Amino acid sequence: MSTVGSWFHGGMAHNVELAERVRDLMPAGTTEVKMFGGLAFMVNGNMACAVGADDMLVRTGKSAYEAALAAGAEPMIMGARTMSGYVNVAADLLAGDALAAWVSRGVATAESLPPK
């Protein structure tokens, strides 16, 4: 059931178009960091989401994890480890206005954490 999407696949570049779309939805003061083989968007020093080659990692936290899975995301697996509180969102779930809802989930989680 679970996949790693484009994460850790030999240095694939992140999807520049998707990154632009995400960037337009992020709050002021968001920073960007190359991480996990993609481009991570940090809110108050906490990762909200990251863009891969064709998909997106979204930080949900443990409390919203099951709801994200119910909305179609998959568990985020890197290597042999499932990353608790993070989901992988496939490209087909990021089309059109659907992207904003996924970005909002990640931003809300990052904003709920103490600044770093």
Side-chain angles (χ1 to χ4, degrees):
M1 172 181 159
S2 304
T3 64
V4 293
S6 63
W7 308 101
F8 289 127
H9 284 239
M12 287 181 150
H14 67 274
N15 181 316
V16 175
E17 180 183 328
L18 179 57
E20 280 296 322
R21 291 176 57 216
V22 170
R23 190 175 289 121
D24 289 344
L25 296 168
M26 298 303 291
T30 297
T31 57
E32 300 174 17
V33 178
K34 289 187 179 187
M35 182 185 298
F36 301 126
L39 183 65
F41 292 85
M42 313 292 280
V43 175
N44 299 327
N46 297 296
M47 185 174 68
C49 58
V51 173
D54 61 357
D55 52 3
M56 191 165 75
L57 178 152
V58 176
R59 186 175 200 167
T60 61
K62 292 180 182 181
S63 64
Y65 181 76
E66 293 298 327
L69 294 178
E74 295 186 350
M76 188 65 202
I77 299 175
M78 288 192 179
R81 181 173 164 241
T82 299
M83 295 180 63
S84 178
Y86 295 84
V87 295
N88 189 70
V89 183
D92 62 328
L93 296 175
L94 302 173
D97 294 336
L99 177 65
W102 290 109
V103 170
S104 291
R105 288 174 194 250
V107 169
T109 302
E111 289 178 335
S112 74
L113 301 170
K116 289 185 177 180

